[in-house]
């Protein structure tokens, strides 16, 4: 029986359904797991994504993008492949992609985390035959502290700086990480200032019903921002934007801050270990809960995780690139003028037809 998902130069591809998942080259149909730039790219003819992601996707890809949204758990069919999207717990609107075809069930995890996050729906494990998992932090050393402990550290650092009339600049990914931080910090300490890239996504989060504290753009007057917490993408720290703050204390929030050398080499005053990806125990929890007899590791610490799972008796492997295999776009013949998929509600007869930032 042919695999339900294979790897092609364009990205992960479902031959039976003739669509891609998070493709990195232009394709006719793309199922998007979430709106981070390395998963949601411009230029595809048709997009399918979870309904809660629509606002952030349109903010990043353009309001006019051909986007079809699908509620979590709802099912749609195309070329006989049943497709449904389920919460991945990574960022607002993030989804695992569940595919069912001729008795096989495959789940593509996308990026995910197990820990609770008030800014997005919680991860929901899906039973399947084959589980394709990410492994960004697929090493046993990666184990996250509880959020309450992390935010207590951020609040203490911010309050100490504010007491000295010093600005606290916290570098973080503008989509997901910034909003998670906003939901966890003590907004009573002082005003919160954000980079315009963060503010645009804050608007999308609020429109989706996520509660965030008030945030302001930088005024340009350092005296107005001496006690503020400032959230900005790491790229802003390398340009003139940061110079409007007078002697700020600069910290970075990322899972990579668990590595002592990373913080030291970058010269940050503080490094807060906060990731939107599963840590090692989270990966093990998700893999076990899937019940899958076959695990495919897609990216991250692939060799280590494959070896670990194999030594425990699982059929674990990594994708092998199939460069040169011809795409099948021209064989679908049903896309013009229609949505991403044409048959809805579980029918099996669906044959009709920002500059990169440091994540994690």
């Amino acid at each position: 029986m042919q695999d339900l998902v294979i790897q092609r130069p364009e990205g992960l591809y479902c031959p039976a359904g003739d669509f891609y998942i998070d493709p990195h080259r232009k394709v006719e149909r793309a199922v998007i797991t979430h709106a981070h730039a390395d998963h949601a790219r411009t230029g595809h003819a048709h997009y399918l994504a979870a309904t809660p992601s629509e606002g952030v996707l349109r903010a990043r890809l353009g309001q006019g993008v051909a986007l079809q949204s699908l509620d979590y758990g709802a099912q749609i069919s195309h070329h006989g492949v049943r497709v449904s999207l389920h919460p991945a717990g990574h960022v607002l609107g993030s989804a695992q992609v569940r595919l069912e075809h001729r008795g096989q069930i495959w789940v593509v995890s996308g990026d995910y985390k197990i820990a609770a996050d008030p800014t997005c729906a919680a991860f929901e494990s899906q039973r399947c035959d084959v589980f394709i998992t990410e492994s960004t932090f697929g090493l046993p050393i990666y184990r996250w502290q509880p959020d309450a402990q992390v935010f207590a550290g951020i609040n203490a650092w911010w309050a100490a700086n504010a007491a000295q009339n010093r600005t606290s600049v916290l570098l973080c990914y503008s989509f997901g990480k910034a909003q998670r931080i906003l939901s966890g910090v003590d907004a009573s300490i002082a005003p919160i200032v954000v980079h315009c890239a963060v503010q645009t996504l804050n608007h999308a989060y609020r429109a989706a019903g996520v509660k965030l504290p008030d945030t302001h753009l930088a005024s340009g007057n350092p005296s107005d921002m001496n006690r503020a917490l400032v959230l900005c993408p790491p790229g802003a720290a390398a340009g003139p934007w940061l110079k409007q703050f007078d002697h700020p204390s600069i910290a970075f929030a990322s899972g990579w801050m668990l590595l002592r050398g990373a913080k030291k080499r970058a010269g940050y005053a503080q490094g807060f270990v906060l990731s939107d990806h599963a840590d090692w125990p989270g990966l093990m929890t998700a893999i076990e809960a899937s019940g899958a007899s076959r695990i495919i590791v897609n990216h991250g610490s692939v060799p280590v995780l494959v070896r670990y799972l194999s030594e425990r008796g699982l059929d674990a492997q990594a994708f092998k690139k199939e460069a040169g295999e011809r795409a099948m776009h021209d064989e679908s013949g049903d896309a013009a003028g229609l949505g991403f998929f044409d048959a809805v509600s579980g029918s099996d007869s669906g044959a009709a037809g920002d500059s990169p930032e440091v994540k994690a």
Side-chain angles (χ1 to χ4, degrees):
M1 185 176 293
Q2 185 180 28
D3 282 352
L4 205 46
V5 178
I6 63 174
Q7 189 173 48
R8 284 187 166 179
E10 295 90 343
L12 299 186
Y13 178 65
C14 175
D18 188 23
F19 56 81
Y20 289 83
I21 299 172
D22 292 346
H24 41 79
R25 297 182 185 178
K26 293 181 181 179
V27 300
E28 185 68 25
R29 296 182 184 85
V31 178
I32 302 299
T33 62
H34 63 286
H36 274 142
D38 56 336
H39 293 258
R41 294 173 171 84
T42 59
H44 306 314
H46 298 89
Y47 294 80
L48 178 73
T51 300
S53 71
E54 182 168 355
V56 287
L57 276 170
R58 292 194 184 281
R60 308 204 102 184
L61 302 178
Q63 293 299 319
V65 67
L67 171 62
Q68 181 177 348
S69 60
L70 187 66
D71 291 343
Y72 285 137
Q75 199 172 76
I76 200 168
S77 184
H78 188 69
H79 291 188
V81 178
R82 295 186 177 190
V83 182
S84 55
L85 305 175
H86 304 269
H90 178 56
V91 292
L92 178 64
S94 60
Q96 304 169 81
V97 182
R98 182 186 184 277
L99 309 173
E100 184 174 355
H101 182 249
R102 295 181 178 175
Q104 290 189 85
I105 299 175
W106 287 51
V107 171
V108 180
S109 74
D111 292 344
Y112 65 93
K113 71 174 181 291
I114 305 300
D117 180 344
T119 66
C120 64
F123 177 88
E124 292 182 4
S125 61
Q126 301 296 312
R127 303 289 288 183
C128 57
D129 301 303
V130 182
F131 185 50
I132 301 174
T133 181
E134 65 129 329
S135 62
T136 302
F137 291 100
L139 293 174
I141 62 169
Y142 292 111
R143 297 169 188 269
W144 309 143
Q145 299 171 333
D147 277 12
Q149 188 173 339
V150 176
F151 288 119
I154 294 174
N155 287 330
W157 165 73
W158 177 19
N161 291 330
Q164 302 175 49
N165 283 326
R166 191 176 184 192
T167 305
S168 301
V169 176
L170 183 54
L171 310 182
C172 56
Y173 194 61
S174 58
F175 170 39
K177 185 68 63 60
Q179 291 73 34
R180 187 178 173 198
I181 291 171
L182 288 169
S183 74
V185 297
D186 180 1
S188 69
I189 294 175
I192 300 175
V193 173
V194 298
H195 188 273
C196 59
V198 176
Q199 190 75 320
T200 298
L201 291 160
N202 287 351
H203 294 327
Y205 266 71
R206 292 181 180 115
V210 178
K211 292 183 179 179
L212 299 176
D214 290 339
T215 53
H216 312 277
L217 295 177
S219 67
N221 184 352
S223 63
D224 292 341
M225 300 176 285
N226 281 343
R227 302 177 67 250
L229 172 67
V230 178
L231 301 184
C232 67
W241 188 84
L242 192 63
K243 294 181 179 178
Q244 63 187 308
F245 306 105
D246 191 18
H247 303 297
S249 176
I250 302 176
F252 193 14
S254 168
W256 301 115
M257 290 295 100
L258 187 65
L259 303 177
R260 186 173 301 175
K263 182 179 70 174
K264 186 176 181 180
R265 284 194 298 273
Y268 302 123
Q270 291 279 343
F272 298 105
V273 181
L274 186 68
S275 176
D276 291 325
H277 292 260
D279 60 0
W280 179 261
L283 292 171
M284 296 303 109
T285 297
I287 290 169
E288 182 177 354
S290 74
S293 58
R294 182 181 171 196
I295 308 295
I296 302 176
V297 184
N298 189 27
H299 64 84
S301 302
V302 174
V304 173
L305 185 55
V306 168
R307 179 176 177 180
Y308 179 87
L309 296 174
S310 298
E311 290 177 348
R312 277 147 185 80
L314 289 173
D315 179 6
Q317 57 191 262
F319 271 121
K320 295 179 180 178
K321 291 184 178 180
E322 299 186 12
E325 189 171 351
R326 188 176 66 85
M328 299 171 63
H329 299 161
D330 295 340
E331 299 175 8
S332 59
D334 60 359
L338 300 172
F340 187 94
F341 292 100
D342 307 319
V344 191
S345 301
S347 169
D348 243 343
S349 60
D354 37 343
S355 62
E357 302 176 21
V358 177
K359 273 205 318 176

